[in-house]
PDB file of all heavy atoms in Angstrom:
ATOM      1  N   ALA Q 274      56.133 -16.003 -17.137  1.00 97.00           N
ATOM      2  CA  ALA Q 274      54.769 -16.240 -17.613  1.00 97.00           C
ATOM      3  C   ALA Q 274      54.468 -15.299 -18.761  1.00 97.00           C
ATOM      4  O   ALA Q 274      54.893 -14.140 -18.768  1.00 97.00           O
ATOM      5  CB  ALA Q 274      53.762 -16.022 -16.490  1.00 97.00           C
ATOM      6  N   LEU Q 275      53.715 -15.791 -19.739  1.00 98.00           N
ATOM      7  CA  LEU Q 275      53.207 -14.979 -20.835  1.00 98.00           C
ATOM      8  C   LEU Q 275      51.719 -14.781 -20.612  1.00 98.00           C
ATOM      9  O   LEU Q 275      50.980 -15.743 -20.394  1.00 98.00           O
ATOM     10  CB  LEU Q 275      53.444 -15.682 -22.174  1.00 98.00           C
ATOM     11  CG  LEU Q 275      52.784 -15.016 -23.398  1.00 98.00           C
ATOM     12  CD1 LEU Q 275      53.412 -13.661 -23.695  1.00 98.00           C
ATOM     13  CD2 LEU Q 275      52.887 -15.938 -24.627  1.00 98.00           C
ATOM     14  N   VAL Q 276      51.273 -13.521 -20.664  1.00 98.00           N
ATOM     15  CA  VAL Q 276      49.855 -13.201 -20.572  1.00 98.00           C
ATOM     16  C   VAL Q 276      49.450 -12.529 -21.875  1.00 98.00           C
ATOM     17  O   VAL Q 276      49.892 -11.415 -22.174  1.00 98.00           O
ATOM     18  CB  VAL Q 276      49.543 -12.280 -19.377  1.00 98.00           C
ATOM     19  CG1 VAL Q 276      48.048 -11.941 -19.334  1.00 98.00           C
ATOM     20  CG2 VAL Q 276      49.988 -12.922 -18.069  1.00 98.00           C
ATOM     21  N   THR Q 277      48.641 -13.208 -22.684  1.00 98.00           N
ATOM     22  CA  THR Q 277      48.148 -12.605 -23.915  1.00 98.00           C
ATOM     23  C   THR Q 277      46.892 -11.785 -23.594  1.00 98.00           C
ATOM     24  O   THR Q 277      46.210 -12.027 -22.601  1.00 98.00           O
ATOM     25  CB  THR Q 277      47.818 -13.666 -24.972  1.00 98.00           C
ATOM     26  OG1 THR Q 277      46.657 -14.412 -24.554  1.00 98.00           O
ATOM     27  CG2 THR Q 277      48.991 -14.617 -25.194  1.00 98.00           C
ATOM     28  N   GLY Q 278      46.604 -10.808 -24.460  1.00 95.00           N
ATOM     29  CA  GLY Q 278      45.520  -9.891 -24.127  1.00 95.00           C
ATOM     30  C   GLY Q 278      45.830  -9.160 -22.837  1.00 95.00           C
ATOM     31  O   GLY Q 278      44.960  -8.876 -22.005  1.00 95.00           O
ATOM     32  N   GLY Q 279      47.097  -8.819 -22.656  1.00 94.00           N
ATOM     33  CA  GLY Q 279      47.601  -8.375 -21.363  1.00 94.00           C
ATOM     34  C   GLY Q 279      47.027  -7.076 -20.841  1.00 94.00           C
ATOM     35  O   GLY Q 279      46.952  -6.895 -19.627  1.00 94.00           O
ATOM     36  N   LEU Q 280      46.647  -6.163 -21.726  1.00 93.00           N
ATOM     37  CA  LEU Q 280      46.117  -4.889 -21.256  1.00 93.00           C
ATOM     38  C   LEU Q 280      44.603  -4.909 -21.127  1.00 93.00           C
ATOM     39  O   LEU Q 280      43.985  -3.866 -20.876  1.00 93.00           O
ATOM     40  CB  LEU Q 280      46.559  -3.746 -22.187  1.00 93.00           C
ATOM     41  CG  LEU Q 280      48.055  -3.424 -22.143  1.00 93.00           C
ATOM     42  CD1 LEU Q 280      48.384  -2.253 -23.072  1.00 93.00           C
ATOM     43  CD2 LEU Q 280      48.510  -3.105 -20.717  1.00 93.00           C
ATOM     44  N   GLY Q 281      44.000  -6.081 -21.295  1.00 94.00           N
ATOM     45  CA  GLY Q 281      42.572  -6.218 -21.075  1.00 94.00           C
ATOM     46  C   GLY Q 281      42.240  -6.229 -19.590  1.00 94.00           C
ATOM     47  O   GLY Q 281      43.116  -6.248 -18.719  1.00 94.00           O
ATOM     48  N   PHE Q 282      40.952  -6.243 -19.299  1.00 94.00           N
ATOM     49  CA  PHE Q 282      40.467  -6.172 -17.923  1.00 94.00           C
ATOM     50  C   PHE Q 282      41.009  -7.313 -17.071  1.00 94.00           C
ATOM     51  O   PHE Q 282      41.602  -7.091 -16.003  1.00 94.00           O
ATOM     52  CB  PHE Q 282      38.940  -6.188 -17.948  1.00 94.00           C
ATOM     53  CG  PHE Q 282      38.276  -6.159 -16.617  1.00 94.00           C
ATOM     54  CD1 PHE Q 282      38.483  -5.109 -15.739  1.00 94.00           C
ATOM     55  CD2 PHE Q 282      37.424  -7.183 -16.234  1.00 94.00           C
ATOM     56  CE1 PHE Q 282      37.865  -5.075 -14.497  1.00 94.00           C
ATOM     57  CE2 PHE Q 282      36.786  -7.157 -15.002  1.00 94.00           C
ATOM     58  CZ  PHE Q 282      37.015  -6.101 -14.131  1.00 94.00           C
ATOM     59  N   LEU Q 283      40.853  -8.547 -17.535  1.00 96.00           N
ATOM     60  CA  LEU Q 283      41.354  -9.697 -16.790  1.00 96.00           C
ATOM     61  C   LEU Q 283      42.861  -9.813 -16.898  1.00 96.00           C
ATOM     62  O   LEU Q 283      43.535 -10.165 -15.932  1.00 96.00           O
ATOM     63  CB  LEU Q 283      40.680 -10.977 -17.275  1.00 96.00           C
ATOM     64  CG  LEU Q 283      41.108 -12.279 -16.591  1.00 96.00           C
ATOM     65  CD1 LEU Q 283      40.844 -12.226 -15.087  1.00 96.00           C
ATOM     66  CD2 LEU Q 283      40.396 -13.475 -17.217  1.00 96.00           C
ATOM     67  N   GLY Q 284      43.415  -9.517 -18.069  1.00 96.00           N
ATOM     68  CA  GLY Q 284      44.850  -9.673 -18.291  1.00 96.00           C
ATOM     69  C   GLY Q 284      45.688  -8.895 -17.294  1.00 96.00           C
ATOM     70  O   GLY Q 284      46.685  -9.414 -16.756  1.00 96.00           O
ATOM     71  N   GLN Q 285      45.318  -7.656 -17.030  1.00 96.00           N
ATOM     72  CA  GLN Q 285      46.089  -6.854 -16.081  1.00 96.00           C
ATOM     73  C   GLN Q 285      45.986  -7.410 -14.666  1.00 96.00           C
ATOM     74  O   GLN Q 285      46.973  -7.445 -13.924  1.00 96.00           O
ATOM     75  CB  GLN Q 285      45.624  -5.401 -16.110  1.00 96.00           C
ATOM     76  CG  GLN Q 285      45.997  -4.668 -17.388  1.00 96.00           C
ATOM     77  CD  GLN Q 285      45.749  -3.174 -17.285  1.00 96.00           C
ATOM     78  OE1 GLN Q 285      46.237  -2.502 -16.397  1.00 96.00           O
ATOM     79  NE2 GLN Q 285      44.967  -2.646 -18.228  1.00 96.00           N
ATOM     80  N   ALA Q 286      44.789  -7.840 -14.279  1.00 97.00           N
ATOM     81  CA  ALA Q 286      44.619  -8.410 -12.943  1.00 97.00           C
ATOM     82  C   ALA Q 286      45.454  -9.681 -12.792  1.00 97.00           C
ATOM     83  O   ALA Q 286      46.072  -9.916 -11.740  1.00 97.00           O
ATOM     84  CB  ALA Q 286      43.146  -8.705 -12.682  1.00 97.00           C
ATOM     85  N   VAL Q 287      45.490 -10.502 -13.845  1.00 98.00           N
ATOM     86  CA  VAL Q 287      46.302 -11.726 -13.817  1.00 98.00           C
ATOM     87  C   VAL Q 287      47.779 -11.385 -13.696  1.00 98.00           C
ATOM     88  O   VAL Q 287      48.517 -12.010 -12.920  1.00 98.00           O
ATOM     89  CB  VAL Q 287      46.040 -12.567 -15.081  1.00 98.00           C
ATOM     90  CG1 VAL Q 287      47.076 -13.674 -15.221  1.00 98.00           C
ATOM     91  CG2 VAL Q 287      44.636 -13.162 -15.039  1.00 98.00           C
ATOM     92  N   ALA Q 288      48.230 -10.378 -14.456  1.00 97.00           N
ATOM     93  CA  ALA Q 288      49.642  -9.990 -14.412  1.00 97.00           C
ATOM     94  C   ALA Q 288      50.055  -9.595 -12.993  1.00 97.00           C
ATOM     95  O   ALA Q 288      51.119 -10.001 -12.503  1.00 97.00           O
ATOM     96  CB  ALA Q 288      49.891  -8.841 -15.383  1.00 97.00           C
ATOM     97  N   HIS Q 289      49.224  -8.811 -12.326  1.00 97.00           N
ATOM     98  CA  HIS Q 289      49.545  -8.402 -10.959  1.00 97.00           C
ATOM     99  C   HIS Q 289      49.600  -9.601 -10.016  1.00 97.00           C
ATOM    100  O   HIS Q 289      50.504  -9.688  -9.162  1.00 97.00           O
ATOM    101  CB  HIS Q 289      48.510  -7.390 -10.464  1.00 97.00           C
ATOM    102  CG  HIS Q 289      48.702  -6.010 -11.014  1.00 97.00           C
ATOM    103  ND1 HIS Q 289      49.801  -5.233 -10.712  1.00 97.00           N
ATOM    104  CD2 HIS Q 289      47.926  -5.263 -11.857  1.00 97.00           C
ATOM    105  CE1 HIS Q 289      49.703  -4.062 -11.335  1.00 97.00           C
ATOM    106  NE2 HIS Q 289      48.580  -4.072 -12.036  1.00 97.00           N
ATOM    107  N   SER Q 290      48.651 -10.532 -10.158  1.00 97.00           N
ATOM    108  CA  SER Q 290      48.640 -11.708  -9.278  1.00 97.00           C
ATOM    109  C   SER Q 290      49.866 -12.581  -9.505  1.00 97.00           C
ATOM    110  O   SER Q 290      50.465 -13.096  -8.550  1.00 97.00           O
ATOM    111  CB  SER Q 290      47.358 -12.524  -9.499  1.00 97.00           C
ATOM    112  OG  SER Q 290      46.235 -11.840  -8.986  1.00 97.00           O
ATOM    113  N   LEU Q 291      50.260 -12.749 -10.758  1.00 97.00           N
ATOM    114  CA  LEU Q 291      51.421 -13.583 -11.050  1.00 97.00           C
ATOM    115  C   LEU Q 291      52.718 -12.930 -10.579  1.00 97.00           C
ATOM    116  O   LEU Q 291      53.598 -13.612 -10.021  1.00 97.00           O
ATOM    117  CB  LEU Q 291      51.499 -13.872 -12.551  1.00 97.00           C
ATOM    118  CG  LEU Q 291      50.387 -14.746 -13.125  1.00 97.00           C
ATOM    119  CD1 LEU Q 291      50.562 -14.899 -14.632  1.00 97.00           C
ATOM    120  CD2 LEU Q 291      50.367 -16.119 -12.456  1.00 97.00           C
ATOM    121  N   ARG Q 292      52.833 -11.634 -10.770  1.00 95.00           N
ATOM    122  CA  ARG Q 292      54.059 -10.959 -10.328  1.00 95.00           C
ATOM    123  C   ARG Q 292      54.158 -10.979  -8.792  1.00 95.00           C
ATOM    124  O   ARG Q 292      55.245 -11.116  -8.234  1.00 95.00           O
ATOM    125  CB  ARG Q 292      54.124  -9.531 -10.861  1.00 95.00           C
ATOM    126  CG  ARG Q 292      55.541  -8.984 -10.818  1.00 95.00           C
ATOM    127  CD  ARG Q 292      55.779  -7.872 -11.783  1.00 95.00           C
ATOM    128  NE  ARG Q 292      55.093  -6.652 -11.377  1.00 95.00           N
ATOM    129  CZ  ARG Q 292      55.201  -5.503 -12.018  1.00 95.00           C
ATOM    130  NH1 ARG Q 292      55.938  -5.437 -13.128  1.00 95.00           N
ATOM    131  NH2 ARG Q 292      54.577  -4.425 -11.607  1.00 95.00           N
ATOM    132  N   ARG Q 293      53.030 -10.873  -8.124  1.00 95.00           N
ATOM    133  CA  ARG Q 293      53.003 -11.007  -6.664  1.00 95.00           C
ATOM    134  C   ARG Q 293      53.540 -12.367  -6.237  1.00 95.00           C
ATOM    135  O   ARG Q 293      54.184 -12.491  -5.186  1.00 95.00           O
ATOM    136  CB  ARG Q 293      51.569 -10.838  -6.173  1.00 95.00           C
ATOM    137  CG  ARG Q 293      51.347 -11.034  -4.673  1.00 95.00           C
ATOM    138  CD  ARG Q 293      49.912 -11.419  -4.405  1.00 95.00           C
ATOM    139  NE  ARG Q 293      49.568 -12.698  -5.032  1.00 95.00           N
ATOM    140  CZ  ARG Q 293      48.337 -13.096  -5.307  1.00 95.00           C
ATOM    141  NH1 ARG Q 293      47.307 -12.307  -5.052  1.00 95.00           N
ATOM    142  NH2 ARG Q 293      48.117 -14.280  -5.860  1.00 95.00           N
ATOM    143  N   ASP Q 294      53.282 -13.401  -7.076  1.00 94.00           N
ATOM    144  CA  ASP Q 294      53.725 -14.761  -6.761  1.00 94.00           C
ATOM    145  C   ASP Q 294      55.140 -15.053  -7.244  1.00 94.00           C
ATOM    146  O   ASP Q 294      55.589 -16.199  -7.196  1.00 94.00           O
ATOM    147  CB  ASP Q 294      52.756 -15.777  -7.366  1.00 94.00           C
ATOM    148  CG  ASP Q 294      51.426 -15.816  -6.626  1.00 94.00           C
ATOM    149  OD1 ASP Q 294      51.305 -15.165  -5.573  1.00 94.00           O
ATOM    150  OD2 ASP Q 294      50.502 -16.498  -7.110  1.00 94.00           O
ATOM    151  N   GLY Q 295      55.831 -14.026  -7.724  1.00 94.00           N
ATOM    152  CA  GLY Q 295      57.238 -14.193  -8.066  1.00 94.00           C
ATOM    153  C   GLY Q 295      57.547 -14.441  -9.521  1.00 94.00           C
ATOM    154  O   GLY Q 295      58.706 -14.702  -9.872  1.00 94.00           O
ATOM    155  N   TYR Q 296      56.550 -14.371 -10.396  1.00 96.00           N
ATOM    156  CA  TYR Q 296      56.788 -14.560 -11.819  1.00 96.00           C
ATOM    157  C   TYR Q 296      57.381 -13.309 -12.460  1.00 96.00           C
ATOM    158  O   TYR Q 296      57.076 -12.182 -12.042  1.00 96.00           O
ATOM    159  CB  TYR Q 296      55.486 -14.881 -12.552  1.00 96.00           C
ATOM    160  CG  TYR Q 296      55.035 -16.314 -12.451  1.00 96.00           C
ATOM    161  CD1 TYR Q 296      54.225 -16.735 -11.409  1.00 96.00           C
ATOM    162  CD2 TYR Q 296      55.430 -17.257 -13.408  1.00 96.00           C
ATOM    163  CE1 TYR Q 296      53.802 -18.052 -11.315  1.00 96.00           C
ATOM    164  CE2 TYR Q 296      55.009 -18.571 -13.322  1.00 96.00           C
ATOM    165  CZ  TYR Q 296      54.203 -18.962 -12.272  1.00 96.00           C
ATOM    166  OH  TYR Q 296      53.796 -20.263 -12.181  1.00 96.00           O
ATOM    167  N   ARG Q 297      58.186 -13.530 -13.444  1.00 96.00           N
ATOM    168  CA  ARG Q 297      58.525 -12.473 -14.397  1.00 96.00           C
ATOM    169  C   ARG Q 297      57.447 -12.537 -15.472  1.00 96.00           C
ATOM    170  O   ARG Q 297      57.249 -13.586 -16.087  1.00 96.00           O
ATOM    171  CB  ARG Q 297      59.903 -12.719 -15.011  1.00 96.00           C
ATOM    172  CG  ARG Q 297      60.258 -11.750 -16.138  1.00 96.00           C
ATOM    173  CD  ARG Q 297      61.660 -12.032 -16.670  1.00 96.00           C
ATOM    174  NE  ARG Q 297      61.903 -11.274 -17.887  1.00 96.00           N
ATOM    175  CZ  ARG Q 297      61.627 -11.716 -19.108  1.00 96.00           C
ATOM    176  NH1 ARG Q 297      61.147 -12.957 -19.267  1.00 96.00           N
ATOM    177  NH2 ARG Q 297      61.847 -10.969 -20.167  1.00 96.00           N
ATOM    178  N   VAL Q 298      56.726 -11.444 -15.717  1.00 97.00           N
ATOM    179  CA  VAL Q 298      55.533 -11.476 -16.552  1.00 97.00           C
ATOM    180  C   VAL Q 298      55.769 -10.727 -17.857  1.00 97.00           C
ATOM    181  O   VAL Q 298      56.110  -9.535 -17.859  1.00 97.00           O
ATOM    182  CB  VAL Q 298      54.318 -10.867 -15.822  1.00 97.00           C
ATOM    183  CG1 VAL Q 298      53.056 -11.025 -16.670  1.00 97.00           C
ATOM    184  CG2 VAL Q 298      54.121 -11.533 -14.465  1.00 97.00           C
ATOM    185  N   VAL Q 299      55.579 -11.447 -18.959  1.00 97.00           N
ATOM    186  CA  VAL Q 299      55.646 -10.867 -20.303  1.00 97.00           C
ATOM    187  C   VAL Q 299      54.226 -10.699 -20.813  1.00 97.00           C
ATOM    188  O   VAL Q 299      53.423 -11.642 -20.771  1.00 97.00           O
ATOM    189  CB  VAL Q 299      56.447 -11.774 -21.263  1.00 97.00           C
ATOM    190  CG1 VAL Q 299      56.455 -11.187 -22.678  1.00 97.00           C
ATOM    191  CG2 VAL Q 299      57.868 -11.976 -20.746  1.00 97.00           C
ATOM    192  N   GLY Q 300      53.902  -9.506 -21.273  1.00 97.00           N
ATOM    193  CA  GLY Q 300      52.569  -9.242 -21.804  1.00 97.00           C
ATOM    194  C   GLY Q 300      52.589  -9.129 -23.314  1.00 97.00           C
ATOM    195  O   GLY Q 300      53.538  -8.604 -23.898  1.00 97.00           O
ATOM    196  N   LEU Q 301      51.533  -9.620 -23.953  1.00 97.00           N
ATOM    197  CA  LEU Q 301      51.390  -9.552 -25.404  1.00 97.00           C
ATOM    198  C   LEU Q 301      49.979  -9.098 -25.722  1.00 97.00           C
ATOM    199  O   LEU Q 301      49.000  -9.650 -25.207  1.00 97.00           O
ATOM    200  CB  LEU Q 301      51.649 -10.928 -26.028  1.00 97.00           C
ATOM    201  CG  LEU Q 301      51.329 -11.121 -27.520  1.00 97.00           C
ATOM    202  CD1 LEU Q 301      52.110 -10.144 -28.380  1.00 97.00           C
ATOM    203  CD2 LEU Q 301      51.617 -12.559 -27.936  1.00 97.00           C
ATOM    204  N   GLY Q 302      49.872  -8.072 -26.563  1.00 94.00           N
ATOM    205  CA  GLY Q 302      48.547  -7.586 -26.933  1.00 94.00           C
ATOM    206  C   GLY Q 302      48.625  -6.256 -27.641  1.00 94.00           C
ATOM    207  O   GLY Q 302      49.684  -5.845 -28.097  1.00 94.00           O
ATOM    208  N   HIS Q 303      47.504  -5.594 -27.721  1.00 91.00           N
ATOM    209  CA  HIS Q 303      47.422  -4.333 -28.440  1.00 91.00           C
ATOM    210  C   HIS Q 303      47.625  -3.155 -27.499  1.00 91.00           C
ATOM    211  O   HIS Q 303      47.217  -3.191 -26.344  1.00 91.00           O
ATOM    212  CB  HIS Q 303      46.078  -4.212 -29.153  1.00 91.00           C
ATOM    213  CG  HIS Q 303      45.899  -5.235 -30.223  1.00 91.00           C
ATOM    214  ND1 HIS Q 303      44.751  -5.969 -30.371  1.00 91.00           N
ATOM    215  CD2 HIS Q 303      46.748  -5.667 -31.195  1.00 91.00           C
ATOM    216  CE1 HIS Q 303      44.880  -6.799 -31.394  1.00 91.00           C
ATOM    217  NE2 HIS Q 303      46.088  -6.644 -31.898  1.00 91.00           N
ATOM    218  N   GLY Q 304      48.235  -2.107 -28.027  1.00 87.00           N
ATOM    219  CA  GLY Q 304      48.425  -0.885 -27.268  1.00 87.00           C
ATOM    220  C   GLY Q 304      49.875  -0.665 -26.884  1.00 87.00           C
ATOM    221  O   GLY Q 304      50.532  -1.568 -26.364  1.00 87.00           O
ATOM    222  N   GLN Q 305      50.367   0.535 -27.172  1.00 85.00           N
ATOM    223  CA  GLN Q 305      51.704   0.923 -26.750  1.00 85.00           C
ATOM    224  C   GLN Q 305      51.576   1.892 -25.587  1.00 85.00           C
ATOM    225  O   GLN Q 305      50.789   2.831 -25.631  1.00 85.00           O
ATOM    226  CB  GLN Q 305      52.463   1.603 -27.906  1.00 85.00           C
ATOM    227  CG  GLN Q 305      52.961   0.627 -28.962  1.00 85.00           C
ATOM    228  CD  GLN Q 305      54.197  -0.153 -28.491  1.00 85.00           C
ATOM    229  OE1 GLN Q 305      54.463  -0.228 -27.295  1.00 85.00           O
ATOM    230  NE2 GLN Q 305      54.923  -0.742 -29.417  1.00 85.00           N
ATOM    231  N   ARG Q 306      52.316   1.652 -24.543  1.00 86.00           N
ATOM    232  CA  ARG Q 306      52.284   2.492 -23.353  1.00 86.00           C
ATOM    233  C   ARG Q 306      53.710   2.829 -22.930  1.00 86.00           C
ATOM    234  O   ARG Q 306      54.641   2.069 -23.204  1.00 86.00           O
ATOM    235  CB  ARG Q 306      51.584   1.761 -22.199  1.00 86.00           C
ATOM    236  CG  ARG Q 306      50.192   1.240 -22.521  1.00 86.00           C
ATOM    237  CD  ARG Q 306      49.146   2.329 -22.462  1.00 86.00           C
ATOM    238  NE  ARG Q 306      47.832   1.819 -22.826  1.00 86.00           N
ATOM    239  CZ  ARG Q 306      47.000   1.203 -21.982  1.00 86.00           C
ATOM    240  NH1 ARG Q 306      47.371   1.016 -20.732  1.00 86.00           N
ATOM    241  NH2 ARG Q 306      45.815   0.784 -22.387  1.00 86.00           N
ATOM    242  N   PRO Q 307      53.890   3.937 -22.230  1.00 88.00           N
ATOM    243  CA  PRO Q 307      55.218   4.225 -21.663  1.00 88.00           C
ATOM    244  C   PRO Q 307      55.647   3.124 -20.706  1.00 88.00           C
ATOM    245  O   PRO Q 307      54.814   2.422 -20.118  1.00 88.00           O
ATOM    246  CB  PRO Q 307      54.991   5.557 -20.925  1.00 88.00           C
ATOM    247  CG  PRO Q 307      53.794   6.166 -21.566  1.00 88.00           C
ATOM    248  CD  PRO Q 307      52.927   5.020 -21.982  1.00 88.00           C
ATOM    249  N   ALA Q 308      56.949   2.995 -20.538  1.00 89.00           N
ATOM    250  CA  ALA Q 308      57.496   1.905 -19.734  1.00 89.00           C
ATOM    251  C   ALA Q 308      56.940   1.900 -18.321  1.00 89.00           C
ATOM    252  O   ALA Q 308      56.645   0.839 -17.757  1.00 89.00           O
ATOM    253  CB  ALA Q 308      59.024   2.004 -19.697  1.00 89.00           C
ATOM    254  N   GLU Q 309      56.744   3.082 -17.732  1.00 91.00           N
ATOM    255  CA  GLU Q 309      56.244   3.123 -16.362  1.00 91.00           C
ATOM    256  C   GLU Q 309      54.798   2.640 -16.276  1.00 91.00           C
ATOM    257  O   GLU Q 309      54.387   2.015 -15.286  1.00 91.00           O
ATOM    258  CB  GLU Q 309      56.359   4.534 -15.778  1.00 91.00           C
ATOM    259  CG  GLU Q 309      55.588   5.622 -16.497  1.00 91.00           C
ATOM    260  CD  GLU Q 309      56.379   6.261 -17.639  1.00 91.00           C
ATOM    261  OE1 GLU Q 309      57.395   5.678 -18.053  1.00 91.00           O
ATOM    262  OE2 GLU Q 309      55.971   7.349 -18.089  1.00 91.00           O
ATOM    263  N   GLU Q 310      54.012   2.878 -17.327  1.00 91.00           N
ATOM    264  CA  GLU Q 310      52.631   2.383 -17.347  1.00 91.00           C
ATOM    265  C   GLU Q 310      52.594   0.865 -17.530  1.00 91.00           C
ATOM    266  O   GLU Q 310      51.732   0.188 -16.949  1.00 91.00           O
ATOM    267  CB  GLU Q 310      51.832   3.069 -18.455  1.00 91.00           C
ATOM    268  CG  GLU Q 310      51.520   4.527 -18.179  1.00 91.00           C
ATOM    269  CD  GLU Q 310      50.563   5.117 -19.197  1.00 91.00           C
ATOM    270  OE1 GLU Q 310      49.820   4.338 -19.848  1.00 91.00           O
ATOM    271  OE2 GLU Q 310      50.558   6.350 -19.350  1.00 91.00           O
ATOM    272  N   ILE Q 311      53.504   0.354 -18.345  1.00 93.00           N
ATOM    273  CA  ILE Q 311      53.583  -1.099 -18.528  1.00 93.00           C
ATOM    274  C   ILE Q 311      53.928  -1.771 -17.202  1.00 93.00           C
ATOM    275  O   ILE Q 311      53.327  -2.785 -16.824  1.00 93.00           O
ATOM    276  CB  ILE Q 311      54.638  -1.440 -19.598  1.00 93.00           C
ATOM    277  CG1 ILE Q 311      54.153  -0.988 -20.981  1.00 93.00           C
ATOM    278  CG2 ILE Q 311      54.946  -2.931 -19.596  1.00 93.00           C
ATOM    279  CD1 ILE Q 311      52.870  -1.635 -21.446  1.00 93.00           C
ATOM    280  N   ARG Q 312      54.864  -1.189 -16.491  1.00 93.00           N
ATOM    281  CA  ARG Q 312      55.246  -1.749 -15.192  1.00 93.00           C
ATOM    282  C   ARG Q 312      54.073  -1.665 -14.214  1.00 93.00           C
ATOM    283  O   ARG Q 312      53.791  -2.626 -13.484  1.00 93.00           O
ATOM    284  CB  ARG Q 312      56.439  -0.964 -14.642  1.00 93.00           C
ATOM    285  CG  ARG Q 312      57.001  -1.526 -13.331  1.00 93.00           C
ATOM    286  CD  ARG Q 312      57.794  -2.777 -13.572  1.00 93.00           C
ATOM    287  NE  ARG Q 312      58.311  -3.315 -12.309  1.00 93.00           N
ATOM    288  CZ  ARG Q 312      58.997  -4.436 -12.202  1.00 93.00           C
ATOM    289  NH1 ARG Q 312      59.237  -5.163 -13.282  1.00 93.00           N
ATOM    290  NH2 ARG Q 312      59.436  -4.862 -11.041  1.00 93.00           N
ATOM    291  N   ALA Q 313      53.381  -0.544 -14.224  1.00 92.00           N
ATOM    292  CA  ALA Q 313      52.237  -0.370 -13.331  1.00 92.00           C
ATOM    293  C   ALA Q 313      51.110  -1.336 -13.667  1.00 92.00           C
ATOM    294  O   ALA Q 313      50.312  -1.703 -12.795  1.00 92.00           O
ATOM    295  CB  ALA Q 313      51.736   1.070 -13.392  1.00 92.00           C
ATOM    296  N   ALA Q 314      51.027  -1.752 -14.939  1.00 92.00           N
ATOM    297  CA  ALA Q 314      49.998  -2.708 -15.361  1.00 92.00           C
ATOM    298  C   ALA Q 314      50.337  -4.136 -14.984  1.00 92.00           C
ATOM    299  O   ALA Q 314      49.518  -5.041 -15.186  1.00 92.00           O
ATOM    300  CB  ALA Q 314      49.768  -2.606 -16.869  1.00 92.00           C
ATOM    301  N   GLY Q 315      51.551  -4.354 -14.462  1.00 93.00           N
ATOM    302  CA  GLY Q 315      51.918  -5.679 -13.975  1.00 93.00           C
ATOM    303  C   GLY Q 315      52.928  -6.426 -14.821  1.00 93.00           C
ATOM    304  O   GLY Q 315      53.189  -7.602 -14.565  1.00 93.00           O
ATOM    305  N   PHE Q 316      53.536  -5.739 -15.815  1.00 96.00           N
ATOM    306  CA  PHE Q 316      54.401  -6.442 -16.758  1.00 96.00           C
ATOM    307  C   PHE Q 316      55.864  -6.030 -16.631  1.00 96.00           C
ATOM    308  O   PHE Q 316      56.186  -4.864 -16.425  1.00 96.00           O
ATOM    309  CB  PHE Q 316      53.931  -6.190 -18.195  1.00 96.00           C
ATOM    310  CG  PHE Q 316      52.534  -6.695 -18.439  1.00 96.00           C
ATOM    311  CD1 PHE Q 316      51.461  -5.827 -18.455  1.00 96.00           C
ATOM    312  CD2 PHE Q 316      52.297  -8.049 -18.609  1.00 96.00           C
ATOM    313  CE1 PHE Q 316      50.170  -6.288 -18.649  1.00 96.00           C
ATOM    314  CE2 PHE Q 316      51.009  -8.529 -18.794  1.00 96.00           C
ATOM    315  CZ  PHE Q 316      49.942  -7.640 -18.818  1.00 96.00           C
ATOM    316  N   ASP Q 317      56.737  -7.032 -16.806  1.00 96.00           N
ATOM    317  CA  ASP Q 317      58.168  -6.779 -16.860  1.00 96.00           C
ATOM    318  C   ASP Q 317      58.630  -6.522 -18.293  1.00 96.00           C
ATOM    319  O   ASP Q 317      59.658  -5.880 -18.511  1.00 96.00           O
ATOM    320  CB  ASP Q 317      58.918  -7.991 -16.292  1.00 96.00           C
ATOM    321  CG  ASP Q 317      58.564  -8.225 -14.834  1.00 96.00           C
ATOM    322  OD1 ASP Q 317      59.089  -7.502 -13.977  1.00 96.00           O
ATOM    323  OD2 ASP Q 317      57.734  -9.123 -14.558  1.00 96.00           O
ATOM    324  N   ARG Q 318      57.867  -7.047 -19.233  1.00 96.00           N
ATOM    325  CA  ARG Q 318      58.152  -6.810 -20.651  1.00 96.00           C
ATOM    326  C   ARG Q 318      56.827  -6.748 -21.388  1.00 96.00           C
ATOM    327  O   ARG Q 318      55.913  -7.501 -21.072  1.00 96.00           O
ATOM    328  CB  ARG Q 318      59.021  -7.937 -21.235  1.00 96.00           C
ATOM    329  CG  ARG Q 318      59.304  -7.787 -22.740  1.00 96.00           C
ATOM    330  CD  ARG Q 318      59.979  -9.027 -23.320  1.00 96.00           C
ATOM    331  NE  ARG Q 318      60.164  -8.902 -24.762  1.00 96.00           N
ATOM    332  CZ  ARG Q 318      60.546  -9.904 -25.563  1.00 96.00           C
ATOM    333  NH1 ARG Q 318      60.803 -11.107 -25.055  1.00 96.00           N
ATOM    334  NH2 ARG Q 318      60.681  -9.705 -26.867  1.00 96.00           N
TER     335      ARG Q 318
END
């Protein structure tokens, strides 16, 4: 799944819900974060 605006309020919540359901989640948006923060936000990439 691709989630645009991924680090936004809804985007992060969506990423967590999709990953819980077995998706590999790619996020696209503004902001650079360390890899561990990206993973914690719900994204695989």
Side-chain angles (χ1 to χ4, degrees):
L275 172 67
V276 179
T277 69
L280 291 182
F282 178 60
L283 180 59
Q285 290 190 55
V287 168
H289 283 294
S290 289
L291 293 178
R292 199 157 71 176
R293 176 204 63 201
D294 288 353
Y296 280 89
R297 173 178 170 270
V298 185
V299 177
L301 170 58
H303 295 134
Q305 284 284 19
R306 306 281 178 84
E309 61 272 15
E310 289 188 22
I311 291 299
R312 184 75 181 177
F316 299 101
D317 298 282
R318 177 189 176 190

